[in-house]
Amino acid sequence: MTRKFDGNRLLVATHNKGKLEEVAHLLKPFGVSVVGAGEMNLPEPAETEDTFVGNARIKAHAAAKATGLPALSDDSGLTIDGLDGAPGVYTADWAETGNGRDFAMAMTRAHDELVACGAAKPWTAQFRCTLVLAWPDGHDEVFEGVVPGAITWPMRGKDGFGYDPIFVPEGHDVTFAEMDRWEKNKMSHRGDAVAKFVAGCFG
Ligand code: IMP
């Protein structure tokens, strides 16, 4: 059985402002406010695993151990079928310039690789999100969310973050970056994972 989270303030082990705002918005109706790893001055641990759950566990357990509080982490990314699931756990790495992150560069790489390998359209893809809630005693719970869709080109829209401008969720014709951000939340991989977290912990 899922161990319940019974507090009203949750440490979210992320330094990503976009993720933190989305999780905060999703948990607000349950009376839970969030505090980010940045506000707590927690270091960002190296993500050395080759699975979403492995990296989410690293982040959640590091934060729980450092603070003595239950901590929720998010490891997420984009899997593109025509690229055999890439960039996957390397989604953020594709944006690394050595001097910060450039997501236009990362999205251009995804597009160029799809063209180079002659992938048939539609370029189906999924955003995936794994949430891990870890306690200081080492226990954890895992919640996984996914949203299917397709890669579009060129980039469209100004909202959201990361790869949102090239991802069109299934059943829609606008990208995540063209949607109202809270509309995105209702159908996103993160929304799906948070719904499972809420059902497990508050249900
Ligand atoms: P990590 O989970 O911090 O390793 O990084 C995941 C990366 O996936 C982020 O840096 C974003 O580029 C991308 N990503 C995750 N969720 C989303 C999303 O909702 N929209 C766009 N990009 C996302």
Side-chain angles (χ1 to χ4, degrees):
M1 192 184 120
T2 308
R3 191 191 284 185
K4 310 273 182 205
F5 170 75
D6 57 7
N8 57 10
R9 193 153 166 80
L10 180 62
L11 171 61
V12 181
T14 183
H15 288 76
N16 180 320
K17 193 166 162 273
K19 284 183 183 179
L20 186 65
E21 285 174 1
E22 289 188 3
V23 172
H25 182 260
L26 287 160
L27 290 178
K28 206 171 162 199
F30 300 92
V32 178
S33 63
V34 304
V35 55
E39 280 174 73
M40 300 281 284
N41 289 320
L42 297 179
E44 275 188 274
E47 298 181 25
T48 49
E49 294 290 325
D50 60 5
T51 59
F52 291 121
V53 67
N55 286 325
R57 280 201 162 109
I58 289 175
K59 293 185 272 194
H61 285 285
K65 209 170 157 193
T67 60
L69 300 168
L72 183 75
S73 70
D74 165 316
D75 202 66
S76 46
L78 182 63
T79 51
I80 302 176
D81 296 325
L83 301 181
D84 296 327
V89 290
Y90 305 107
T91 301
D93 296 342
W94 277 26
E96 280 309 335
T97 62
N99 189 23
R101 286 184 179 163
D102 179 347
F103 283 99
M105 177 184 84
M107 288 184 276
T108 303
R109 174 170 172 187
H111 167 260
D112 290 354
E113 290 197 11
L114 280 163
V115 171
C117 72
K121 287 188 180 175
W123 289 333
T124 53
Q126 306 78 32
F127 264 127
R128 298 181 187 277
C129 172
T130 300
L131 296 176
V132 169
L133 178 61
W135 279 263
D137 67 1
H139 180 83
D140 68 34
E141 299 285 346
V142 177
F143 309 93
E144 291 180 316
V146 62
V147 58
I151 302 300
T152 188
W153 195 259
M155 303 168 210
R156 300 192 329 240
K158 297 259 174 278
D159 282 330
F161 65 96
Y163 293 67
D164 280 342
I166 59 166
F167 186 82
V168 177
E170 202 172 274
H172 295 261
D173 53 16
V174 291
T175 67
F176 266 170
E178 291 175 304
M179 282 183 185
D180 172 89
R181 141 134 219 249
W182 312 130
E183 190 192 337
K184 167 193 167 185
N185 251 358
K186 280 189 227 151
M187 72 185 78
S188 79
H189 49 315
R190 195 160 294 104
D192 187 24
V194 170
K196 288 170 184 159
F197 164 71
V198 164
C201 289
F202 302 95

mmCIF file with all atom_site columns, all heavy atoms in Angstrom, residues 43-55:
data_model
loop_
_atom_site.group_PDB
_atom_site.id
_atom_site.type_symbol
_atom_site.label_atom_id
_atom_site.label_alt_id
_atom_site.label_comp_id
_atom_site.label_asym_id
_atom_site.label_entity_id
_atom_site.label_seq_id
_atom_site.pdbx_PDB_ins_code
_atom_site.Cartn_x
_atom_site.Cartn_y
_atom_site.Cartn_z
_atom_site.occupancy
_atom_site.B_iso_or_equiv
_atom_site.pdbx_formal_charge
_atom_site.auth_seq_id
_atom_site.auth_comp_id
_atom_site.auth_asym_id
_atom_site.auth_atom_id
_atom_site.pdbx_PDB_model_num
ATOM 1  N N   . PRO A 1 43 ? 21.970 21.511 -3.119  1.00 0.00 ? 43 PRO A N   1
ATOM 2  C CA  . PRO A 1 43 ? 22.751 21.344 -4.351  1.00 0.00 ? 43 PRO A CA  1
ATOM 3  C C   . PRO A 1 43 ? 21.987 20.463 -5.340  1.00 0.00 ? 43 PRO A C   1
ATOM 4  O O   . PRO A 1 43 ? 21.082 19.719 -4.949  1.00 0.00 ? 43 PRO A O   1
ATOM 5  C CB  . PRO A 1 43 ? 24.025 20.635 -3.874  1.00 0.00 ? 43 PRO A CB  1
ATOM 6  C CG  . PRO A 1 43 ? 23.650 19.991 -2.586  1.00 0.00 ? 43 PRO A CG  1
ATOM 7  C CD  . PRO A 1 43 ? 22.524 20.772 -1.978  1.00 0.00 ? 43 PRO A CD  1
ATOM 8  N N   . GLU A 1 44 ? 22.350 20.545 -6.617  1.00 0.00 ? 44 GLU A N   1
ATOM 9  C CA  . GLU A 1 44 ? 21.741 19.677 -7.629  1.00 0.00 ? 44 GLU A CA  1
ATOM 10 C C   . GLU A 1 44 ? 22.597 18.430 -7.759  1.00 0.00 ? 44 GLU A C   1
ATOM 11 O O   . GLU A 1 44 ? 23.738 18.523 -8.228  1.00 0.00 ? 44 GLU A O   1
ATOM 12 C CB  . GLU A 1 44 ? 21.702 20.386 -8.987  1.00 0.00 ? 44 GLU A CB  1
ATOM 13 C CG  . GLU A 1 44 ? 20.491 21.272 -9.175  1.00 0.00 ? 44 GLU A CG  1
ATOM 14 C CD  . GLU A 1 44 ? 20.367 21.813 -10.599 1.00 0.00 ? 44 GLU A CD  1
ATOM 15 O OE1 . GLU A 1 44 ? 20.986 22.845 -10.875 1.00 0.00 ? 44 GLU A OE1 1
ATOM 16 O OE2 . GLU A 1 44 ? 19.667 21.193 -11.414 1.00 0.00 ? 44 GLU A OE2 1
ATOM 17 N N   . PRO A 1 45 ? 22.099 17.252 -7.353  1.00 0.00 ? 45 PRO A N   1
ATOM 18 C CA  . PRO A 1 45 ? 22.942 16.056 -7.472  1.00 0.00 ? 45 PRO A CA  1
ATOM 19 C C   . PRO A 1 45 ? 23.132 15.654 -8.935  1.00 0.00 ? 45 PRO A C   1
ATOM 20 O O   . PRO A 1 45 ? 22.281 15.969 -9.778  1.00 0.00 ? 45 PRO A O   1
ATOM 21 C CB  . PRO A 1 45 ? 22.140 14.992 -6.717  1.00 0.00 ? 45 PRO A CB  1
ATOM 22 C CG  . PRO A 1 45 ? 20.746 15.469 -6.697  1.00 0.00 ? 45 PRO A CG  1
ATOM 23 C CD  . PRO A 1 45 ? 20.765 16.966 -6.811  1.00 0.00 ? 45 PRO A CD  1
ATOM 24 N N   . ALA A 1 46 ? 24.235 14.971 -9.244  1.00 0.00 ? 46 ALA A N   1
ATOM 25 C CA  . ALA A 1 46 ? 24.468 14.494 -10.608 1.00 0.00 ? 46 ALA A CA  1
ATOM 26 C C   . ALA A 1 46 ? 23.463 13.391 -10.928 1.00 0.00 ? 46 ALA A C   1
ATOM 27 O O   . ALA A 1 46 ? 23.186 12.531 -10.081 1.00 0.00 ? 46 ALA A O   1
ATOM 28 C CB  . ALA A 1 46 ? 25.886 13.955 -10.726 1.00 0.00 ? 46 ALA A CB  1
ATOM 29 N N   . GLU A 1 47 ? 22.881 13.445 -12.132 1.00 0.00 ? 47 GLU A N   1
ATOM 30 C CA  . GLU A 1 47 ? 21.902 12.431 -12.551 1.00 0.00 ? 47 GLU A CA  1
ATOM 31 C C   . GLU A 1 47 ? 22.652 11.365 -13.336 1.00 0.00 ? 47 GLU A C   1
ATOM 32 O O   . GLU A 1 47 ? 22.855 11.484 -14.529 1.00 0.00 ? 47 GLU A O   1
ATOM 33 C CB  . GLU A 1 47 ? 20.801 13.098 -13.378 1.00 0.00 ? 47 GLU A CB  1
ATOM 34 C CG  . GLU A 1 47 ? 20.038 14.126 -12.555 1.00 0.00 ? 47 GLU A CG  1
ATOM 35 C CD  . GLU A 1 47 ? 18.913 14.810 -13.326 1.00 0.00 ? 47 GLU A CD  1
ATOM 36 O OE1 . GLU A 1 47 ? 18.396 14.227 -14.292 1.00 0.00 ? 47 GLU A OE1 1
ATOM 37 O OE2 . GLU A 1 47 ? 18.576 15.930 -12.939 1.00 0.00 ? 47 GLU A OE2 1
ATOM 38 N N   . THR A 1 48 ? 23.075 10.314 -12.633 1.00 0.00 ? 48 THR A N   1
ATOM 39 C CA  . THR A 1 48 ? 23.998 9.342  -13.220 1.00 0.00 ? 48 THR A CA  1
ATOM 40 C C   . THR A 1 48 ? 23.327 8.053  -13.695 1.00 0.00 ? 48 THR A C   1
ATOM 41 O O   . THR A 1 48 ? 23.989 7.171  -14.221 1.00 0.00 ? 48 THR A O   1
ATOM 42 C CB  . THR A 1 48 ? 25.081 8.986  -12.185 1.00 0.00 ? 48 THR A CB  1
ATOM 43 O OG1 . THR A 1 48 ? 24.417 8.670  -10.958 1.00 0.00 ? 48 THR A OG1 1
ATOM 44 C CG2 . THR A 1 48 ? 26.029 10.146 -11.959 1.00 0.00 ? 48 THR A CG2 1
ATOM 45 N N   . GLU A 1 49 ? 22.010 7.941  -13.503 1.00 0.00 ? 49 GLU A N   1
ATOM 46 C CA  . GLU A 1 49 ? 21.308 6.713  -13.920 1.00 0.00 ? 49 GLU A CA  1
ATOM 47 C C   . GLU A 1 49 ? 20.873 6.824  -15.380 1.00 0.00 ? 49 GLU A C   1
ATOM 48 O O   . GLU A 1 49 ? 20.831 7.925  -15.936 1.00 0.00 ? 49 GLU A O   1
ATOM 49 C CB  . GLU A 1 49 ? 20.090 6.489  -13.027 1.00 0.00 ? 49 GLU A CB  1
ATOM 50 C CG  . GLU A 1 49 ? 20.435 6.192  -11.582 1.00 0.00 ? 49 GLU A CG  1
ATOM 51 C CD  . GLU A 1 49 ? 21.071 4.819  -11.402 1.00 0.00 ? 49 GLU A CD  1
ATOM 52 O OE1 . GLU A 1 49 ? 20.695 3.876  -12.126 1.00 0.00 ? 49 GLU A OE1 1
ATOM 53 O OE2 . GLU A 1 49 ? 21.959 4.701  -10.549 1.00 0.00 ? 49 GLU A OE2 1
ATOM 54 N N   . ASP A 1 50 ? 20.493 5.683  -15.985 1.00 0.00 ? 50 ASP A N   1
ATOM 55 C CA  . ASP A 1 50 ? 20.035 5.750  -17.373 1.00 0.00 ? 50 ASP A CA  1
ATOM 56 C C   . ASP A 1 50 ? 18.535 5.487  -17.518 1.00 0.00 ? 50 ASP A C   1
ATOM 57 O O   . ASP A 1 50 ? 18.054 5.105  -18.572 1.00 0.00 ? 50 ASP A O   1
ATOM 58 C CB  . ASP A 1 50 ? 20.863 4.822  -18.271 1.00 0.00 ? 50 ASP A CB  1
ATOM 59 C CG  . ASP A 1 50 ? 20.769 3.373  -17.835 1.00 0.00 ? 50 ASP A CG  1
ATOM 60 O OD1 . ASP A 1 50 ? 19.990 3.085  -16.894 1.00 0.00 ? 50 ASP A OD1 1
ATOM 61 O OD2 . ASP A 1 50 ? 21.447 2.525  -18.430 1.00 0.00 ? 50 ASP A OD2 1
ATOM 62 N N   . THR A 1 51 ? 17.798 5.686  -16.401 1.00 0.00 ? 51 THR A N   1
ATOM 63 C CA  . THR A 1 51 ? 16.334 5.609  -16.459 1.00 0.00 ? 51 THR A CA  1
ATOM 64 C C   . THR A 1 51 ? 15.756 6.845  -15.756 1.00 0.00 ? 51 THR A C   1
ATOM 65 O O   . THR A 1 51 ? 16.418 7.435  -14.879 1.00 0.00 ? 51 THR A O   1
ATOM 66 C CB  . THR A 1 51 ? 15.781 4.366  -15.733 1.00 0.00 ? 51 THR A CB  1
ATOM 67 O OG1 . THR A 1 51 ? 16.213 4.419  -14.365 1.00 0.00 ? 51 THR A OG1 1
ATOM 68 C CG2 . THR A 1 51 ? 16.262 3.077  -16.381 1.00 0.00 ? 51 THR A CG2 1
ATOM 69 N N   . PHE A 1 52 ? 14.508 7.201  -16.117 1.00 0.00 ? 52 PHE A N   1
ATOM 70 C CA  . PHE A 1 52 ? 13.852 8.332  -15.451 1.00 0.00 ? 52 PHE A CA  1
ATOM 71 C C   . PHE A 1 52 ? 13.706 8.038  -13.955 1.00 0.00 ? 52 PHE A C   1
ATOM 72 O O   . PHE A 1 52 ? 13.987 8.879  -13.114 1.00 0.00 ? 52 PHE A O   1
ATOM 73 C CB  . PHE A 1 52 ? 12.467 8.589  -16.058 1.00 0.00 ? 52 PHE A CB  1
ATOM 74 C CG  . PHE A 1 52 ? 12.506 9.116  -17.474 1.00 0.00 ? 52 PHE A CG  1
ATOM 75 C CD1 . PHE A 1 52 ? 11.899 8.421  -18.506 1.00 0.00 ? 52 PHE A CD1 1
ATOM 76 C CD2 . PHE A 1 52 ? 13.137 10.314 -17.782 1.00 0.00 ? 52 PHE A CD2 1
ATOM 77 C CE1 . PHE A 1 52 ? 11.925 8.901  -19.817 1.00 0.00 ? 52 PHE A CE1 1
ATOM 78 C CE2 . PHE A 1 52 ? 13.168 10.810 -19.088 1.00 0.00 ? 52 PHE A CE2 1
ATOM 79 C CZ  . PHE A 1 52 ? 12.558 10.101 -20.107 1.00 0.00 ? 52 PHE A CZ  1
ATOM 80 N N   . VAL A 1 53 ? 13.279 6.808  -13.634 1.00 0.00 ? 53 VAL A N   1
ATOM 81 C CA  . VAL A 1 53 ? 13.037 6.500  -12.218 1.00 0.00 ? 53 VAL A CA  1
ATOM 82 C C   . VAL A 1 53 ? 14.345 6.522  -11.425 1.00 0.00 ? 53 VAL A C   1
ATOM 83 O O   . VAL A 1 53 ? 14.385 6.987  -10.277 1.00 0.00 ? 53 VAL A O   1
ATOM 84 C CB  . VAL A 1 53 ? 12.235 5.181  -12.041 1.00 0.00 ? 53 VAL A CB  1
ATOM 85 C CG1 . VAL A 1 53 ? 13.018 3.967  -12.476 1.00 0.00 ? 53 VAL A CG1 1
ATOM 86 C CG2 . VAL A 1 53 ? 11.764 5.023  -10.605 1.00 0.00 ? 53 VAL A CG2 1
ATOM 87 N N   . GLY A 1 54 ? 15.420 6.045  -12.038 1.00 0.00 ? 54 GLY A N   1
ATOM 88 C CA  . GLY A 1 54 ? 16.718 6.047  -11.355 1.00 0.00 ? 54 GLY A CA  1
ATOM 89 C C   . GLY A 1 54 ? 17.154 7.463  -11.011 1.00 0.00 ? 54 GLY A C   1
ATOM 90 O O   . GLY A 1 54 ? 17.576 7.749  -9.882  1.00 0.00 ? 54 GLY A O   1
ATOM 91 N N   . ASN A 1 55 ? 17.016 8.374  -11.963 1.00 0.00 ? 55 ASN A N   1
ATOM 92 C CA  . ASN A 1 55 ? 17.431 9.755  -11.713 1.00 0.00 ? 55 ASN A CA  1
ATOM 93 C C   . ASN A 1 55 ? 16.479 10.470 -10.757 1.00 0.00 ? 55 ASN A C   1
ATOM 94 O O   . ASN A 1 55 ? 16.903 11.276 -9.928  1.00 0.00 ? 55 ASN A O   1
ATOM 95 C CB  . ASN A 1 55 ? 17.545 10.521 -13.036 1.00 0.00 ? 55 ASN A CB  1
ATOM 96 C CG  . ASN A 1 55 ? 18.791 10.098 -13.801 1.00 0.00 ? 55 ASN A CG  1
ATOM 97 O OD1 . ASN A 1 55 ? 19.813 9.799  -13.205 1.00 0.00 ? 55 ASN A OD1 1
ATOM 98 N ND2 . ASN A 1 55 ? 18.699 10.053 -15.123 1.00 0.00 ? 55 ASN A ND2 1
#
